[in-house]
Amino acid sequence: MEEVKDDKTCKGFVDRLTLGIIRVLENLPGVLDVRFVEKPPAEKRCLLSWEQKNNCALPEDLRDFYLTTDGFMLAWNNKLEDEVVPVGCMMISSVAQLRPLIQSNVYSLPNAPTLADLDFDDDLEESDGPEKPHFDSRSRIFELDPCNGNGKVCLVYKNCTSGVMAQQCEVWFLDRSLFWHYLTPSFTAYYRLMITHLGLPEWQYNFTPYGPSPQAKQWAALYQPLTFHGDSHSDTAGEPLLNKLDPAKAFRGKAKPPTPKKKQAAQVPASGGSTAKAQGVSGRHSVTKR
């Protein structure tokens, strides 16, 4: 009995942690092998060590997340004919893997340019939207999700001062051309965004001016037919986008027109035969026009 109770408790915990997305995925057509990797919670001393090492304070929601599970990994496949294809992946780095972006092995080679050398000047930046991160000491950037090589989701602390612990952070997306794109103001908002997009390939590119690749759009059209839009917050009618099928919108204009009812011919005297015939002809014309 205790094992059954523990199993139910564990399933309830996973269901709350994933916002019920596992059951949603398992009910989608063609989805196979929904895998969620359970991880133990991080220790408080590890969080304190990370903050002291990087001189950044973890936001309260991210701290609570790591005290619940040290990272996040959920993946699922799709069956195309007889071939199983990996499609969705949701990932959040563990505390140990939450490393500064500048420590990549690519930029540690001798005489190699650094990310700071690739940074743009302030006068070249667009004035619209929030201030973009910098690769130099003005920003402290940590990798949340490697995005399978299609970019990086990063935890960004801006306007940093040397020797002062950074407090405020945001979540940004760095594409493969090293351009920044704003995602959310907090980790909780990003977590919900990740769950909503089902971990589909290149979903972060919905927040870029050029969007995902054609293949990624096909996957999004298959599993999110009414949520894949250039504007990620509302559709053309200004209504919030929901991950559900609305038949009134999906099948608009497909309803068959009502069939007109046939009128019974009224009996008239023989002397009025020509008049009745004329009325019948005009009646047929009126039905045709209708």
Side-chain angles (χ1 to χ4, degrees), residues 22 37-38 48 65 77 79 98 104 131 140 147 158 168 196 208 210 216 227 230 249 254 257 269 278 285:
I22 294 180
V37 180
E38 297 186 30
L48 293 175
F65 171 81
N77 300 333
K79 187 175 182 180
L98 194 63
S104 174
E131 177 188 358
R140 297 170 189 170
C147 302
K158 297 187 297 185
Q168 301 296 327
T196 301
T208 66
Y210 26 88
T227 59
K249 293 183 179 180
K254 296 295 184 179
H285 282 298

Side-chain angles (χ1 to χ4, degrees), residues 135-250:
F135 293 116
D136 55 18
S137 59
R138 288 173 290 180
S139 300
R140 297 170 189 170
I141 306 168
F142 305 92
E143 185 178 321
L144 274 177
D145 183 2
C147 302
N148 292 326
N150 293 316
K152 295 180 184 295
V153 175
C154 298
L155 188 71
V156 178
Y157 295 81
K158 297 187 297 185
N159 302 321
C160 298
T161 305
S162 179
V164 179
M165 178 168 286
Q167 300 289 337
Q168 301 296 327
C169 64
E170 300 169 337
V171 180
W172 287 71
F173 175 62
L174 181 66
D175 64 19
R176 297 184 64 180
S177 58
L178 299 181
F179 279 95
W180 288 106
H181 308 278
Y182 178 76
L183 291 181
T184 61
S186 66
F187 171 77
T188 300
Y190 170 75
Y191 186 79
R192 293 174 178 172
L193 202 64
M194 176 187 69
I195 296 294
T196 301
H197 285 82
L198 308 178
L200 286 165
E202 303 178 22
W203 69 264
Q204 295 89 354
Y205 280 88
N206 293 330
F207 297 85
T208 66
Y210 26 88
S213 64
Q215 183 179 6
K217 288 182 180 180
Q218 291 180 352
W219 286 117
L222 179 61
Y223 289 108
Q224 290 183 308
L226 295 183
T227 59
F228 188 78
H229 295 267
D231 180 5
S232 58
H233 301 288
S234 61
D235 59 9
T236 55
E239 300 176 356
L241 299 175
L242 301 177
N243 190 19
K244 66 178 183 179
L245 178 66
D246 186 355
K249 293 183 179 180

Side-chain angles (χ1 to χ4, degrees), residues 8-177:
K8 290 183 179 180
T9 303
C10 182
K11 289 183 178 179
F13 166 76
V14 172
D15 196 51
R16 291 192 302 270
L17 182 63
T18 61
L19 305 181
I21 197 63
I22 294 180
R23 290 184 285 108
V24 173
L25 288 171
E26 290 175 344
N27 291 326
L28 291 177
V31 173
L32 299 174
D33 305 330
V34 181
R35 305 176 305 281
F36 174 72
V37 180
E38 297 186 30
K39 299 184 178 182
E43 298 181 3
K44 289 185 178 181
R45 61 180 180 86
C46 295
L47 301 181
L48 293 175
S49 176
W50 186 93
E51 291 179 331
Q52 293 175 359
K53 178 181 178 181
N54 297 287
N55 205 17
C56 295
L58 288 171
E60 196 66 27
D61 53 357
L62 184 56
R63 175 185 289 271
D64 293 339
F65 171 81
Y66 279 131
L67 291 176
T68 304
T69 174
D70 191 9
F72 186 94
M73 178 64 181
L74 193 154
W76 52 277
N77 300 333
N78 182 275
K79 187 175 182 180
L80 295 177
E81 295 181 353
D82 295 332
E83 184 180 0
V84 178
V85 180
V87 179
C89 182
M90 310 179 206
M91 180 178 177
I92 295 175
S93 300
S94 63
V95 177
Q97 295 173 338
L98 194 63
R99 305 187 186 97
L101 186 66
I102 59 175
Q103 291 184 359
S104 174
N105 295 329
V106 177
Y107 302 101
S108 61
L109 300 175
N111 301 324
T114 64
L115 287 175
D117 296 330
L118 304 176
D119 209 350
F120 294 97
D121 296 332
D122 292 338
D123 55 353
L124 297 178
E125 292 186 356
E126 299 179 358
S127 57
D128 297 337
E131 177 188 358
K132 293 185 178 181
H134 297 276
F135 293 116
D136 55 18
S137 59
R138 288 173 290 180
S139 300
R140 297 170 189 170
I141 306 168
F142 305 92
E143 185 178 321
L144 274 177
D145 183 2
C147 302
N148 292 326
N150 293 316
K152 295 180 184 295
V153 175
C154 298
L155 188 71
V156 178
Y157 295 81
K158 297 187 297 185
N159 302 321
C160 298
T161 305
S162 179
V164 179
M165 178 168 286
Q167 300 289 337
Q168 301 296 327
C169 64
E170 300 169 337
V171 180
W172 287 71
F173 175 62
L174 181 66
D175 64 19
R176 297 184 64 180
S177 58

